[in-house]
Amino acid sequence: MYPRSAPGKSRHFYHVLDDAGQRCSNGGESETHERAVARVEVALHQQFGENARIETEVDVDVAEVPTPVTERRADALATFDDWNPYFGEGLAVEVQHSHKDKDVHQVTHDYLAAGYSVVWIRAATVLLDAFNYDTIGAEFEQDNGSGYAQRTSKASRFTNCQALLYDGEHAWERVPPYAHPRGQDDLITYDICTAQGCELRRLHERDGSYTYTASDEYGPDFPLKALKNAIVREYDRDPFWKWAGSQYHSAQVEKLLATRPEIERCRGPKGFHEWGRRETLWTNHSNQPLIELRECMYCPVRLVTNHRGRSGHSTFCLYGREPDLDWDDVYFQASPPECDHYLYDEDAIEDYCPKCGATMETPDTMLRDHTSWIPP
Protein backbone atom coordinates (compact mmCIF):
# COMPACT_ATOMS: atom_id res chain seq x y z
CA MET A 1 0.00 0.00 0.00
CA TYR A 2 1.32 3.46 -0.95
CA PRO A 3 -0.24 6.88 -0.25
CA ARG A 4 -0.85 9.33 -3.08
CA SER A 5 -2.72 12.54 -3.74
CA ALA A 6 -3.69 14.68 -6.72
CA PRO A 7 -5.05 18.20 -7.23
CA GLY A 8 -8.73 18.32 -6.30
CA LYS A 9 -8.67 14.81 -4.77
CA SER A 10 -8.33 13.68 -1.15
CA ARG A 11 -5.32 11.74 0.05
CA HIS A 12 -5.72 7.99 -0.44
CA PHE A 13 -3.81 4.72 -0.78
CA TYR A 14 -3.31 2.42 -3.72
CA HIS A 15 -2.10 -1.14 -4.31
CA VAL A 16 1.05 -1.78 -6.31
CA LEU A 17 1.07 -4.42 -9.03
CA ASP A 18 3.26 -7.41 -8.27
CA ASP A 19 5.70 -9.12 -10.65
CA ALA A 20 2.87 -11.13 -12.18
CA GLY A 21 0.90 -8.00 -12.94
CA GLN A 22 -1.72 -8.76 -10.27
CA ARG A 23 -2.91 -6.50 -7.50
CA CYS A 24 -2.89 -7.59 -3.88
CA SER A 25 -5.60 -10.07 -2.95
CA ASN A 26 -8.85 -8.19 -2.25
CA GLY A 27 -7.02 -5.13 -3.50
CA GLY A 28 -10.15 -3.49 -4.89
CA GLU A 29 -11.99 -3.74 -1.62
CA SER A 30 -8.99 -2.56 0.43
CA GLU A 31 -8.34 0.38 -1.88
CA THR A 32 -11.97 1.46 -1.68
CA HIS A 33 -11.81 1.32 2.10
CA GLU A 34 -8.57 3.28 2.28
CA ARG A 35 -9.85 5.97 -0.08
CA ALA A 36 -12.94 6.33 2.11
CA VAL A 37 -10.86 6.58 5.30
CA ALA A 38 -8.71 9.28 3.74
CA ARG A 39 -11.80 11.34 2.90
CA VAL A 40 -13.11 10.92 6.47
CA GLU A 41 -9.75 12.14 7.77
CA VAL A 42 -10.08 15.33 5.70
CA ALA A 43 -13.67 15.86 6.90
CA LEU A 44 -12.62 15.53 10.56
CA HIS A 45 -9.82 18.05 10.05
CA GLN A 46 -12.23 20.51 8.47
CA GLN A 47 -14.74 20.14 11.31
CA PHE A 48 -12.54 20.07 14.40
CA GLY A 49 -9.47 21.93 13.17
CA GLU A 50 -6.91 22.41 15.94
CA ASN A 51 -9.21 21.26 18.76
CA ALA A 52 -8.52 17.58 18.19
CA ARG A 53 -5.82 15.18 17.10
CA ILE A 54 -6.89 13.42 13.89
CA GLU A 55 -5.45 9.98 13.15
CA THR A 56 -6.25 7.00 10.94
CA GLU A 57 -5.85 3.30 11.70
CA VAL A 58 -5.21 4.05 15.37
CA ASP A 59 -5.66 1.80 18.40
CA VAL A 60 -8.07 2.89 21.13
CA ASP A 61 -7.31 1.55 24.62
CA VAL A 62 -10.25 -0.46 26.00
CA ALA A 63 -8.22 -2.46 28.53
CA GLU A 64 -10.38 -1.21 31.41
CA VAL A 65 -13.57 -2.35 29.69
CA PRO A 66 -14.76 -5.93 30.36
CA THR A 67 -14.30 -7.16 26.80
CA PRO A 68 -12.22 -9.92 25.18
CA VAL A 69 -9.82 -7.40 23.59
CA THR A 70 -7.65 -4.64 25.06
CA GLU A 71 -7.66 -2.41 21.96
CA ARG A 72 -10.02 -1.40 19.20
CA ARG A 73 -8.58 -0.12 15.94
CA ALA A 74 -10.49 2.90 14.65
CA ASP A 75 -10.47 3.65 10.94
CA ALA A 76 -10.37 7.35 11.79
CA LEU A 77 -10.27 8.99 15.21
CA ALA A 78 -10.62 12.53 16.46
CA THR A 79 -9.24 12.76 20.01
CA PHE A 80 -10.17 16.01 21.77
CA ASP A 81 -7.81 18.04 23.90
CA ASP A 82 -10.53 18.36 26.56
CA TRP A 83 -13.62 16.30 27.32
CA ASN A 84 -16.22 17.12 24.71
CA PRO A 85 -19.72 17.56 26.21
CA TYR A 86 -21.27 15.65 23.33
CA PHE A 87 -18.64 13.21 22.05
CA GLY A 88 -16.58 12.61 25.21
CA GLU A 89 -12.92 11.64 24.80
CA GLY A 90 -13.15 11.49 21.04
CA LEU A 91 -15.04 10.46 17.96
CA ALA A 92 -14.27 7.20 16.17
CA VAL A 93 -15.42 6.79 12.58
CA GLU A 94 -15.73 3.23 11.33
CA VAL A 95 -15.93 2.86 7.56
CA GLN A 96 -17.73 -0.28 6.45
CA HIS A 97 -17.12 -1.76 3.04
CA SER A 98 -19.22 -4.82 3.88
CA HIS A 99 -21.45 -5.87 6.76
CA LYS A 100 -18.87 -8.45 7.83
CA ASP A 101 -16.13 -5.94 8.56
CA LYS A 102 -16.56 -5.79 12.34
CA ASP A 103 -18.91 -6.83 15.14
CA VAL A 104 -20.85 -3.55 15.20
CA HIS A 105 -22.70 -4.31 18.44
CA GLN A 106 -19.64 -5.28 20.49
CA VAL A 107 -17.34 -2.61 19.05
CA THR A 108 -19.93 0.11 19.71
CA HIS A 109 -20.20 -1.06 23.31
CA ASP A 110 -16.44 -0.95 23.77
CA TYR A 111 -16.04 2.57 22.38
CA LEU A 112 -18.87 3.95 24.51
CA ALA A 113 -17.64 2.17 27.65
CA ALA A 114 -14.14 3.62 27.08
CA GLY A 115 -15.52 7.17 26.82
CA TYR A 116 -15.58 7.57 23.03
CA SER A 117 -18.39 8.17 20.57
CA VAL A 118 -18.59 6.17 17.36
CA VAL A 119 -20.29 6.42 14.00
CA TRP A 120 -20.61 3.72 11.37
CA ILE A 121 -20.73 4.82 7.76
CA ARG A 122 -20.64 2.99 4.46
CA ALA A 123 -17.60 3.42 2.20
CA ALA A 124 -19.87 4.02 -0.77
CA THR A 125 -21.47 6.95 1.07
CA VAL A 126 -18.11 8.49 1.90
CA LEU A 127 -16.98 8.30 -1.73
CA LEU A 128 -19.94 10.29 -3.02
CA ASP A 129 -19.03 13.74 -4.38
CA ALA A 130 -21.33 15.42 -1.84
CA PHE A 131 -19.64 13.86 1.19
CA ASN A 132 -18.44 16.12 4.00
CA TYR A 133 -18.67 16.24 7.79
CA ASP A 134 -22.38 17.04 7.58
CA THR A 135 -22.93 13.48 6.40
CA ILE A 136 -21.26 12.21 9.57
CA GLY A 137 -23.12 14.63 11.83
CA ALA A 138 -26.46 13.65 10.35
CA GLU A 139 -26.03 10.09 11.64
CA PHE A 140 -26.14 11.43 15.22
CA GLU A 141 -29.27 13.50 14.58
CA GLN A 142 -31.43 10.81 12.99
CA ASP A 143 -33.51 8.54 15.23
CA ASN A 144 -32.34 5.49 13.32
CA GLY A 145 -28.87 6.84 12.55
CA SER A 146 -25.66 4.90 13.03
CA GLY A 147 -23.99 7.52 15.24
CA TYR A 148 -23.69 6.85 18.99
CA ALA A 149 -22.59 9.75 21.17
CA GLN A 150 -21.54 9.83 24.80
CA ARG A 151 -24.34 12.24 25.69
CA THR A 152 -27.17 10.27 24.08
CA SER A 153 -26.10 6.61 24.12
CA LYS A 154 -25.32 4.13 26.92
CA ALA A 155 -22.86 1.30 26.50
CA SER A 156 -25.23 -1.12 28.26
CA ARG A 157 -27.60 -0.91 25.27
CA PHE A 158 -25.04 -2.73 23.17
CA THR A 159 -24.52 -5.91 25.12
CA ASN A 160 -25.92 -9.42 25.07
CA CYS A 161 -25.39 -9.73 28.82
CA GLN A 162 -28.63 -9.40 30.78
CA ALA A 163 -26.82 -8.69 34.04
CA LEU A 164 -24.78 -5.89 32.49
CA LEU A 165 -27.87 -4.43 30.85
CA TYR A 166 -30.00 -4.30 33.99
CA ASP A 167 -27.46 -4.11 36.83
CA GLY A 168 -24.50 -2.40 35.18
CA GLU A 169 -22.14 -5.28 36.08
CA HIS A 170 -21.51 -8.78 34.86
CA ALA A 171 -22.80 -11.61 37.06
CA TRP A 172 -19.36 -12.95 37.99
CA GLU A 173 -19.11 -16.36 39.66
CA ARG A 174 -15.94 -18.33 40.38
CA VAL A 175 -15.41 -21.55 38.45
CA PRO A 176 -14.18 -23.98 41.12
CA PRO A 177 -10.53 -24.95 40.68
CA TYR A 178 -11.09 -28.52 41.84
CA ALA A 179 -12.91 -29.14 38.56
CA HIS A 180 -10.04 -27.74 36.55
CA PRO A 181 -8.55 -30.06 33.91
CA ARG A 182 -4.98 -28.90 34.57
CA GLY A 183 -4.90 -30.27 38.09
CA GLN A 184 -3.78 -28.52 41.25
CA ASP A 185 -0.28 -27.46 40.20
CA ASP A 186 -1.10 -24.99 37.44
CA LEU A 187 -4.50 -23.57 38.30
CA ILE A 188 -5.82 -20.53 36.51
CA THR A 189 -8.23 -18.64 38.73
CA TYR A 190 -11.07 -17.22 36.71
CA ASP A 191 -14.71 -16.19 36.90
CA ILE A 192 -17.46 -16.51 34.33
CA CYS A 193 -20.47 -14.29 33.79
CA THR A 194 -23.51 -16.45 34.46
CA ALA A 195 -26.00 -14.20 32.65
CA GLN A 196 -27.86 -15.66 29.71
CA GLY A 197 -26.20 -15.00 26.38
CA CYS A 198 -22.89 -13.90 27.91
CA GLU A 199 -19.73 -16.00 27.68
CA LEU A 200 -17.25 -13.48 29.03
CA ARG A 201 -14.63 -14.75 31.45
CA ARG A 202 -12.14 -12.80 33.55
CA LEU A 203 -8.76 -14.25 34.49
CA HIS A 204 -7.15 -13.14 37.73
CA GLU A 205 -3.63 -11.80 37.27
CA ARG A 206 -1.03 -11.78 40.04
CA ASP A 207 -1.03 -7.98 40.27
CA GLY A 208 -4.76 -7.97 41.04
CA SER A 209 -5.87 -6.97 37.55
CA TYR A 210 -8.09 -8.93 35.19
CA THR A 211 -7.73 -10.20 31.67
CA TYR A 212 -10.98 -10.76 29.82
CA THR A 213 -11.65 -13.46 27.27
CA ALA A 214 -14.56 -15.18 25.57
CA SER A 215 -12.53 -18.36 25.03
CA ASP A 216 -13.19 -21.53 27.03
CA GLU A 217 -9.58 -22.71 26.79
CA TYR A 218 -9.01 -22.29 30.55
CA GLY A 219 -12.14 -24.16 31.59
CA PRO A 220 -13.02 -27.78 32.37
CA ASP A 221 -12.68 -30.09 29.43
CA PHE A 222 -15.33 -32.69 30.27
CA PRO A 223 -18.75 -32.94 28.60
CA LEU A 224 -22.03 -31.76 30.08
CA LYS A 225 -23.20 -35.30 30.82
CA ALA A 226 -20.40 -35.63 33.41
CA LEU A 227 -22.48 -33.37 35.70
CA LYS A 228 -25.60 -35.52 35.54
CA ASN A 229 -25.02 -37.23 38.90
CA ALA A 230 -23.62 -34.11 40.55
CA ILE A 231 -26.74 -31.96 40.20
CA VAL A 232 -29.96 -32.46 42.12
CA ARG A 233 -33.10 -31.29 40.36
CA GLU A 234 -36.45 -30.74 42.00
CA TYR A 235 -38.17 -32.27 38.99
CA ASP A 236 -36.35 -34.58 36.60
CA ARG A 237 -39.05 -35.19 34.05
CA ASP A 238 -36.94 -33.72 31.23
CA PRO A 239 -33.67 -35.28 30.06
CA PHE A 240 -30.66 -33.76 31.76
CA TRP A 241 -29.34 -32.07 28.59
CA LYS A 242 -32.70 -30.43 27.99
CA TRP A 243 -32.91 -29.19 31.58
CA ALA A 244 -29.37 -27.78 31.38
CA GLY A 245 -30.29 -25.96 28.18
CA SER A 246 -33.20 -24.31 29.94
CA GLN A 247 -30.84 -23.06 32.66
CA TYR A 248 -28.06 -21.73 30.42
CA HIS A 249 -27.89 -21.37 26.66
CA SER A 250 -24.09 -21.40 26.49
CA ALA A 251 -21.02 -22.41 28.55
CA GLN A 252 -23.29 -24.76 30.47
CA VAL A 253 -20.60 -26.80 32.23
CA GLU A 254 -18.74 -23.78 33.59
CA LYS A 255 -21.87 -21.92 34.64
CA LEU A 256 -23.36 -24.94 36.41
CA LEU A 257 -20.07 -25.57 38.22
CA ALA A 258 -20.02 -21.95 39.35
CA THR A 259 -23.62 -21.68 40.53
CA ARG A 260 -24.88 -25.03 41.81
CA PRO A 261 -24.43 -25.25 45.62
CA GLU A 262 -24.45 -29.06 45.68
CA ILE A 263 -21.32 -29.27 43.51
CA GLU A 264 -18.43 -29.35 45.98
CA ARG A 265 -14.95 -30.84 46.24
CA CYS A 266 -14.74 -34.60 46.59
CA ARG A 267 -12.07 -37.29 46.42
CA GLY A 268 -14.06 -39.04 43.73
CA PRO A 269 -12.80 -39.43 40.15
CA LYS A 270 -14.27 -36.15 38.91
CA GLY A 271 -13.16 -33.98 41.81
CA PHE A 272 -16.71 -33.23 42.98
CA HIS A 273 -19.51 -35.15 44.66
CA GLU A 274 -21.75 -37.47 42.70
CA TRP A 275 -24.98 -38.28 44.49
CA GLY A 276 -26.17 -41.88 44.66
CA ARG A 277 -28.63 -43.48 47.07
CA ARG A 278 -31.38 -41.18 48.27
CA GLU A 279 -34.10 -41.28 50.92
CA THR A 280 -37.30 -39.27 50.73
CA LEU A 281 -37.97 -37.40 53.97
CA TRP A 282 -40.91 -35.25 53.00
CA THR A 283 -43.49 -35.36 50.22
CA ASN A 284 -46.21 -33.01 49.03
CA HIS A 285 -49.91 -33.81 48.70
CA SER A 286 -49.20 -35.49 45.35
CA ASN A 287 -46.58 -37.71 46.97
CA GLN A 288 -43.75 -35.94 45.13
CA PRO A 289 -40.50 -35.76 47.12
CA LEU A 290 -39.74 -32.27 48.42
CA ILE A 291 -37.02 -33.07 50.97
CA GLU A 292 -34.46 -35.80 50.37
CA LEU A 293 -31.30 -37.15 51.93
CA ARG A 294 -28.59 -38.29 49.52
CA GLU A 295 -25.24 -40.03 49.87
CA CYS A 296 -22.11 -39.27 47.89
CA MET A 297 -20.95 -42.31 45.95
CA TYR A 298 -17.29 -41.73 46.84
CA CYS A 299 -17.08 -40.18 50.32
CA PRO A 300 -19.06 -40.02 53.59
CA VAL A 301 -20.68 -36.67 52.81
CA ARG A 302 -24.49 -36.43 52.86
CA LEU A 303 -26.70 -33.90 51.13
CA VAL A 304 -30.10 -32.71 52.29
CA THR A 305 -32.17 -30.95 49.63
CA ASN A 306 -35.19 -28.93 50.68
CA HIS A 307 -37.51 -27.81 47.87
CA ARG A 308 -40.40 -26.72 50.06
CA GLY A 309 -39.77 -23.02 49.48
CA ARG A 310 -40.61 -20.90 46.48
CA SER A 311 -39.01 -21.73 43.14
CA GLY A 312 -35.36 -20.70 43.18
CA HIS A 313 -35.16 -20.73 46.99
CA SER A 314 -34.20 -24.35 47.54
CA THR A 315 -31.91 -25.27 50.42
CA PHE A 316 -28.86 -27.51 49.99
CA CYS A 317 -27.09 -28.66 53.19
CA LEU A 318 -23.87 -30.68 53.16
CA TYR A 319 -22.95 -32.85 56.13
CA GLY A 320 -19.87 -34.92 56.85
CA ARG A 321 -22.02 -37.81 57.93
CA GLU A 322 -25.71 -38.55 58.21
CA PRO A 323 -27.15 -35.93 60.58
CA ASP A 324 -28.47 -37.32 63.87
CA LEU A 325 -31.68 -35.31 63.84
CA ASP A 326 -35.40 -35.83 64.12
CA TRP A 327 -36.79 -35.12 60.69
CA ASP A 328 -39.80 -33.18 61.86
CA ASP A 329 -41.62 -30.04 60.79
CA VAL A 330 -39.63 -27.82 63.16
CA TYR A 331 -36.38 -28.78 61.48
CA PHE A 332 -37.49 -27.95 57.98
CA GLN A 333 -39.50 -24.82 58.81
CA ALA A 334 -36.25 -23.29 60.12
CA SER A 335 -34.80 -23.31 56.57
CA PRO A 336 -31.24 -24.32 57.53
CA PRO A 337 -28.47 -22.50 55.67
CA GLU A 338 -25.85 -24.41 53.72
CA CYS A 339 -23.00 -25.33 56.00
CA ASP A 340 -19.76 -23.81 54.70
CA HIS A 341 -17.46 -26.36 56.38
CA TYR A 342 -16.40 -29.82 55.36
CA LEU A 343 -17.01 -31.99 58.42
CA TYR A 344 -14.66 -34.73 57.39
CA ASP A 345 -11.05 -35.43 56.55
CA GLU A 346 -10.20 -37.50 53.50
CA ASP A 347 -7.82 -39.69 55.51
CA ALA A 348 -9.43 -39.90 58.94
CA ILE A 349 -13.03 -39.57 57.74
CA GLU A 350 -13.97 -37.92 61.01
CA ASP A 351 -15.87 -34.78 61.96
CA TYR A 352 -12.95 -32.55 61.05
CA CYS A 353 -12.89 -29.38 58.98
CA PRO A 354 -9.80 -29.13 56.75
CA LYS A 355 -10.45 -25.40 56.26
CA CYS A 356 -10.11 -24.25 59.87
CA GLY A 357 -8.97 -27.36 61.77
CA ALA A 358 -11.97 -27.35 64.10
CA THR A 359 -13.58 -30.58 65.25
CA MET A 360 -16.93 -31.38 66.78
CA GLU A 361 -15.21 -32.24 70.08
CA THR A 362 -13.25 -28.98 70.35
CA PRO A 363 -14.51 -26.83 73.29
CA ASP A 364 -16.15 -23.60 72.15
CA THR A 365 -15.54 -24.53 68.56
CA MET A 366 -16.54 -22.14 65.78
CA LEU A 367 -17.43 -25.08 63.60
CA ARG A 368 -21.06 -24.81 62.56
CA ASP A 369 -22.48 -28.27 63.04
CA HIS A 370 -25.83 -29.53 61.88
CA THR A 371 -27.64 -28.07 64.90
CA SER A 372 -26.15 -24.56 64.81
CA TRP A 373 -28.99 -23.06 62.83
CA ILE A 374 -31.83 -24.39 65.01
CA PRO A 375 -33.56 -21.41 66.67
CA PRO A 376 -33.66 -21.27 70.50
PDB file of all heavy atoms in Angstrom, residues 39 123-132:
ATOM      1  N   ARG A  39     -10.812  10.268   3.021  1.00  0.00           N
ATOM      2  CA  ARG A  39     -11.799  11.341   2.900  1.00  0.00           C
ATOM      3  C   ARG A  39     -12.404  11.681   4.268  1.00  0.00           C
ATOM      4  O   ARG A  39     -12.685  12.842   4.565  1.00  0.00           O
ATOM      5  CB  ARG A  39     -12.911  10.942   1.927  1.00  0.00           C
ATOM      6  CG  ARG A  39     -12.434  10.781   0.491  1.00  0.00           C
ATOM      7  CD  ARG A  39     -13.588  10.871  -0.487  1.00  0.00           C
ATOM      8  NE  ARG A  39     -14.122  12.234  -0.558  1.00  0.00           N
ATOM      9  CZ  ARG A  39     -15.190  12.578  -1.280  1.00  0.00           C
ATOM     10  NH1 ARG A  39     -15.836  11.648  -1.970  1.00  0.00           N
ATOM     11  NH2 ARG A  39     -15.613  13.819  -1.309  1.00  0.00           N
ATOM     12  N   ALA A 123     -18.655   2.884   3.068  1.00  0.00           N
ATOM     13  CA  ALA A 123     -17.603   3.420   2.204  1.00  0.00           C
ATOM     14  C   ALA A 123     -18.198   4.069   0.952  1.00  0.00           C
ATOM     15  O   ALA A 123     -17.722   5.117   0.498  1.00  0.00           O
ATOM     16  CB  ALA A 123     -16.627   2.305   1.814  1.00  0.00           C
ATOM     17  N   ALA A 124     -19.256   3.468   0.431  1.00  0.00           N
ATOM     18  CA  ALA A 124     -19.875   4.024  -0.766  1.00  0.00           C
ATOM     19  C   ALA A 124     -20.445   5.413  -0.503  1.00  0.00           C
ATOM     20  O   ALA A 124     -20.413   6.289  -1.372  1.00  0.00           O
ATOM     21  CB  ALA A 124     -20.984   3.089  -1.265  1.00  0.00           C
ATOM     22  N   THR A 125     -20.944   5.639   0.711  1.00  0.00           N
ATOM     23  CA  THR A 125     -21.474   6.953   1.070  1.00  0.00           C
ATOM     24  C   THR A 125     -20.356   7.983   1.160  1.00  0.00           C
ATOM     25  O   THR A 125     -20.486   9.126   0.706  1.00  0.00           O
ATOM     26  CB  THR A 125     -22.221   6.873   2.410  1.00  0.00           C
ATOM     27  OG1 THR A 125     -23.284   5.930   2.311  1.00  0.00           O
ATOM     28  CG2 THR A 125     -22.775   8.225   2.826  1.00  0.00           C
ATOM     29  N   VAL A 126     -19.244   7.572   1.745  1.00  0.00           N
ATOM     30  CA  VAL A 126     -18.111   8.488   1.902  1.00  0.00           C
ATOM     31  C   VAL A 126     -17.551   8.902   0.546  1.00  0.00           C
ATOM     32  O   VAL A 126     -17.091  10.037   0.362  1.00  0.00           O
ATOM     33  CB  VAL A 126     -17.007   7.828   2.758  1.00  0.00           C
ATOM     34  CG1 VAL A 126     -15.795   8.727   2.876  1.00  0.00           C
ATOM     35  CG2 VAL A 126     -17.540   7.484   4.140  1.00  0.00           C
ATOM     36  N   LEU A 127     -17.590   8.026  -0.421  1.00  0.00           N
ATOM     37  CA  LEU A 127     -16.984   8.295  -1.728  1.00  0.00           C
ATOM     38  C   LEU A 127     -17.883   9.087  -2.667  1.00  0.00           C
ATOM     39  O   LEU A 127     -17.490   9.385  -3.793  1.00  0.00           O
ATOM     40  CB  LEU A 127     -16.561   6.976  -2.379  1.00  0.00           C
ATOM     41  CG  LEU A 127     -15.451   6.218  -1.637  1.00  0.00           C
ATOM     42  CD1 LEU A 127     -15.159   4.882  -2.306  1.00  0.00           C
ATOM     43  CD2 LEU A 127     -14.182   7.054  -1.555  1.00  0.00           C
ATOM     44  N   LEU A 128     -19.102   9.426  -2.203  1.00  0.00           N
ATOM     45  CA  LEU A 128     -19.943  10.293  -3.024  1.00  0.00           C
ATOM     46  C   LEU A 128     -19.353  11.699  -3.100  1.00  0.00           C
ATOM     47  O   LEU A 128     -18.723  12.176  -2.145  1.00  0.00           O
ATOM     48  CB  LEU A 128     -21.358  10.360  -2.434  1.00  0.00           C
ATOM     49  CG  LEU A 128     -22.173   9.057  -2.449  1.00  0.00           C
ATOM     50  CD1 LEU A 128     -23.486   9.257  -1.699  1.00  0.00           C
ATOM     51  CD2 LEU A 128     -22.427   8.613  -3.883  1.00  0.00           C
ATOM     52  N   ASP A 129     -19.583  12.396  -4.199  1.00  0.00           N
ATOM     53  CA  ASP A 129     -19.029  13.742  -4.381  1.00  0.00           C
ATOM     54  C   ASP A 129     -19.519  14.709  -3.307  1.00  0.00           C
ATOM     55  O   ASP A 129     -18.798  15.633  -2.914  1.00  0.00           O
ATOM     56  CB  ASP A 129     -19.396  14.283  -5.768  1.00  0.00           C
ATOM     57  CG  ASP A 129     -18.685  13.526  -6.887  1.00  0.00           C
ATOM     58  OD1 ASP A 129     -17.644  12.887  -6.592  1.00  0.00           O
ATOM     59  OD2 ASP A 129     -19.169  13.570  -8.032  1.00  0.00           O
ATOM     60  N   ALA A 130     -20.741  14.482  -2.797  1.00  0.00           N
ATOM     61  CA  ALA A 130     -21.327  15.422  -1.845  1.00  0.00           C
ATOM     62  C   ALA A 130     -20.891  15.165  -0.407  1.00  0.00           C
ATOM     63  O   ALA A 130     -21.342  15.860   0.508  1.00  0.00           O
ATOM     64  CB  ALA A 130     -22.858  15.353  -1.935  1.00  0.00           C
ATOM     65  N   PHE A 131     -19.997  14.202  -0.191  1.00  0.00           N
ATOM     66  CA  PHE A 131     -19.641  13.856   1.187  1.00  0.00           C
ATOM     67  C   PHE A 131     -18.844  14.967   1.852  1.00  0.00           C
ATOM     68  O   PHE A 131     -17.914  15.525   1.270  1.00  0.00           O
ATOM     69  CB  PHE A 131     -18.804  12.574   1.214  1.00  0.00           C
ATOM     70  CG  PHE A 131     -18.255  12.260   2.585  1.00  0.00           C
ATOM     71  CD1 PHE A 131     -19.062  11.692   3.561  1.00  0.00           C
ATOM     72  CD2 PHE A 131     -16.937  12.571   2.904  1.00  0.00           C
ATOM     73  CE1 PHE A 131     -18.559  11.417   4.816  1.00  0.00           C
ATOM     74  CE2 PHE A 131     -16.423  12.294   4.163  1.00  0.00           C
ATOM     75  CZ  PHE A 131     -17.246  11.721   5.126  1.00  0.00           C
ATOM     76  N   ASN A 132     -19.220  15.272   3.112  1.00  0.00           N
ATOM     77  CA  ASN A 132     -18.436  16.124   4.001  1.00  0.00           C
ATOM     78  C   ASN A 132     -18.834  15.793   5.432  1.00  0.00           C
ATOM     79  O   ASN A 132     -19.569  14.819   5.663  1.00  0.00           O
ATOM     80  CB  ASN A 132     -18.649  17.610   3.688  1.00  0.00           C
ATOM     81  CG  ASN A 132     -20.118  18.001   3.714  1.00  0.00           C
ATOM     82  OD1 ASN A 132     -20.899  17.473   4.505  1.00  0.00           O
ATOM     83  ND2 ASN A 132     -20.511  18.916   2.831  1.00  0.00           N
TER      84      ASN A 132
END
